[in-house]
Amino acid sequence: MKDVLFDKLLEMVVHAYTTVPFYRELLGNRKIDLGQLLPDAFGELPLVDKSMIIGRETEMLSDVYKGYANSKKLSIQRTSGSSGHYLKVYWDVHDETRSLMGLWYRRKEYFGITPSDKYCYFYTTQYARNRLLEAKDVTVLSNGKAIGFCKNNMSSQRIDDIYAQMLRFEPKWIMMQPSIALLLSKRIAMKNFPPIPSIEYIELTGEYLTDQVRYEIEQAFQCTVANQYGCNEANSIASECNNKKMHVHASSVYVEVLREGKAVPFGEAGDIYITSLNNRAMPFIRYKIGERGILYAASECSCRCKDTILELINGRECELISTDGGEEITAYVFLKVVEYINEKVGNIILQFQVVQTDINQFTVKLVIKPSYMGWRETISDLFVDKLEEEALKNAKWEFVYREELLPDGETGKLAYFINEYKKKRQE
């Protein structure tokens, strides 16, 4: 590890273990001299996973920021994605900007994309000063440089409308999830729409990207497609160079790959742990991110980047919902509902998973705060009521409440949506 990067890592460790209640308690009576921590001794620090943090977010907030919890100085990001857990992550707005500098450098270096270029993006929910808003179908940023599209109600007609709006807006690039890009690509191919001439680059994030999905997107849009891997706890973790190798953003995050708590050599698989080097409001130190991967030396790639390479081996794959009309709906509709309930009622849903068992039949597994068990019928009704898609409102819903949802034994992940119906039809 380079001295300058270790100094930054050490500074964050000392900050976390001296100003954050969660880490002070975690360290307890361990005899670790933080001031004299050496690179080899970093591995002696405790490991952290999301289950240790859920419901204790305020204990993760640094004492330095206690007075800013509801101010403009802090922004809040929400995680619920593939893990099926809901977690609020606090960021100092200036640190949040710094955490993306490495990603912006690579966008310009490899793909010629700058912050001044017009772009399109997709969102599940919208916030204003950390207050949940009713999501609009389309949002135009005040600077006129970007248009956002809500990921709900992605019918064939709406996809056609989005394509037409992109054509008029003339963005240089798009940032979206592979499942959304695949829906657009299939529609473009089906309708024989021409590629949008202004688009030079598509950045995919948030889900596992297969070679086949990448190929279909490239064929539909006729532009460069690159992958970016990140999380709300640290923002961008790694992004692709023009050789399609994902390099870690070493100036923003320190990545470890561990097996049974021990570091593995380059080229061997293990669980991914991160330490954010920028999030001082809510530091994450040796934090298990929920994916498995392999680290390689930078020399394994012929590009100019000197940062290590990260290969994901079980990413966050978002399945699509099947409807009796033959169309597919993105599973992000479930994330929106859970986020709405948690914002309006008070972070009561701790884990969730939706399983499509048949056409128009779903089972919703929920873990809620014990003090809200008497609200089960209300929560179930609210869940269905907030679904905007008519095809889902009229479906048959079964709600199952559990004390805990365990991850899949093979992948180590708890997928928030599983389409068993589609899998049975493919067998």
Side-chain angles (χ1 to χ4, degrees):
M1 192 187 311
K2 297 178 181 177
D3 290 343
V4 64
L5 292 180
F6 182 74
D7 288 344
K8 192 172 182 179
L9 179 65
L10 177 59
E11 180 185 357
M12 182 58 73
V13 168
V14 172
H15 169 76
Y17 277 92
T18 55
T19 74
V20 178
F22 173 86
Y23 287 105
R24 287 199 295 262
E25 178 185 325
L26 190 63
L27 190 62
N29 296 321
R30 297 182 188 222
K31 295 182 179 180
I32 299 176
D33 187 348
L34 297 175
Q36 299 297 318
L37 197 66
L38 299 173
D40 291 343
F42 177 77
E44 298 176 13
L45 292 174
L47 300 175
V48 176
D49 63 47
K50 191 173 289 188
S51 66
M52 300 166 65
I53 299 171
I54 295 291
R56 302 181 62 185
E57 287 94 332
T58 56
E59 296 175 46
M60 284 285 291
L61 191 62
S62 167
D63 295 338
V64 177
Y65 291 87
K66 289 294 186 185
Y68 298 103
N70 297 309
S71 75
K72 295 180 184 178
K73 187 178 178 67
L74 289 184
S75 69
I76 301 175
Q77 296 188 17
R78 286 92 177 155
T79 74
S80 50
S82 62
S83 67
H85 292 81
Y86 181 90
L87 177 69
K88 278 190 174 182
V89 179
Y90 293 88
W91 275 90
D92 181 308
V93 293
H94 301 295
D95 289 344
E96 192 172 15
T97 299
R98 278 191 286 270
S99 70
L100 294 171
M101 290 178 66
L103 176 59
W104 275 111
Y105 173 82
R106 287 205 194 137
R107 284 171 177 162
K108 184 176 187 300
E109 177 78 4
Y110 294 113
F111 310 111
I113 300 299
T114 70
S116 63
D117 292 322
K118 292 167 69 175
Y119 71 100
C120 294
Y121 65 99
F122 288 78
Y123 55 85
T124 304
T125 49
Q126 291 178 303
Y127 288 83
R129 295 185 181 178
N130 299 319
R131 180 172 60 87
L132 181 67
L133 303 177
E134 198 65 40
K136 301 177 182 178
D137 282 348
V138 181
T139 299
V140 181
L141 295 193
S142 58
N143 62 8
K145 291 291 185 183
I147 290 183
F149 301 100
C150 185
K151 288 182 280 193
N152 297 303
N153 299 319
M154 294 289 284
S155 64
S156 296
Q157 182 57 55
R158 179 138 188 274
I159 293 174
D160 292 350
D161 292 341
I162 289 172
Y163 171 86
Q165 287 175 288
M166 287 183 176
L167 202 59
R168 291 193 298 271
F169 183 63
E170 298 182 326
K172 187 174 181 179
W173 67 290
I174 308 174
M175 180 169 54
M176 56 184 164
Q177 294 72 30
S179 60
I180 297 295
L182 189 57
L183 282 177
L184 293 174
S185 299
K186 286 181 175 180
R187 188 64 180 170
I188 289 171
M190 180 184 299
K191 298 285 285 187
N192 201 27
F193 289 149
I196 298 173
S198 64
I199 296 175
E200 299 179 9
Y201 172 68
I202 290 177
E203 184 171 286
L204 301 174
T205 187
E207 300 163 9
Y208 185 67
L209 177 63
T210 65
D211 290 340
Q212 180 60 32
V213 168
R214 187 200 293 265
Y215 174 78
E216 290 191 38
I217 297 168
E218 288 174 337
Q219 291 301 300
F221 285 91
Q222 292 294 299
C223 71
T224 300
V225 175
N227 199 16
Q228 189 252 130
Y229 171 59
C231 64
N232 289 329
E233 295 92 329
N235 280 332
S236 187
I237 295 172
S239 61
E240 283 187 348
C241 65
N242 45 20
N243 290 334
K244 293 183 169 57
K245 300 283 189 182
M246 281 209 304
H247 294 265
V248 171
H249 293 292
S251 62
S252 299
V253 63
Y254 179 62
V255 175
E256 299 175 88
V257 173
L258 310 179
R259 189 187 306 127
E260 297 181 354
K262 302 295 183 182
V264 300
F266 279 155
E268 293 190 17
D271 297 314
I272 300 174
Y273 286 76
I274 62 164
T275 297
S276 171
L277 303 181
N278 288 293
N279 193 346
R280 296 178 63 82
M282 191 173 182
F284 288 85
I285 309 295
R286 307 200 77 200
Y287 175 70
K288 188 177 183 179
I289 203 63
E291 274 86 46
R292 288 174 55 78
I294 304 172
L295 283 175
Y296 297 93
S299 58
E300 295 291 320
C301 181
S302 61
C303 80
R304 296 181 296 275
C305 186
K306 302 303 180 185
D307 292 333
T308 54
I309 300 163
L310 177 62
E311 177 187 346
L312 298 178
I313 55 177
N314 71 319
R316 296 166 281 187
E317 192 164 4
C318 182
E319 295 191 69
L320 297 172
I321 304 165
S322 303
T323 68
D324 56 2
E327 290 193 343
E328 294 181 307
I329 300 173
T330 111
Y332 286 104
V333 297
F334 300 131
L335 297 183
K336 180 179 179 180
V337 171
V338 169
E339 195 158 333
Y340 174 87
I341 294 173
N342 274 329
E343 286 295 322
K344 294 298 183 182
V345 184
N347 299 334
I348 62 174
I349 298 178
L350 305 180
Q351 288 181 280
F352 71 97
Q353 185 180 71
V354 182
V355 181
Q356 180 167 12
T357 56
D358 207 334
I359 201 74
N360 290 333
Q361 291 188 18
F362 299 85
T363 298
V364 182
K365 303 174 185 178
L366 294 172
V367 176
I368 62 175
K369 290 181 178 179
S371 57
Y372 284 86
M373 289 302 289
W375 287 49
R376 285 176 291 183
E377 185 174 345
T378 301
I379 295 168
S380 302
D381 291 343
L382 191 57
F383 189 100
V384 177
D385 182 63
K386 292 307 296 181
L387 289 168
E388 297 178 358
E389 288 72 13
E390 289 301 320
L392 297 182
K393 280 182 177 291
N394 299 324
K396 181 180 178 181
W397 294 89
E398 178 189 10
F399 287 84
V400 178
Y401 289 82
R402 302 275 180 80
E403 292 184 0
E404 182 182 27
L405 295 177
L406 298 176
D408 181 90
E410 293 184 8
T411 66
K413 294 181 60 60
L414 173 68
Y416 75 86
F417 175 66
I418 299 173
N419 193 330
E420 289 185 349
Y421 165 74
K422 183 184 290 186
K423 290 177 181 176
K424 290 175 185 176
R425 287 177 61 85
Q426 292 173 342
E427 290 176 352

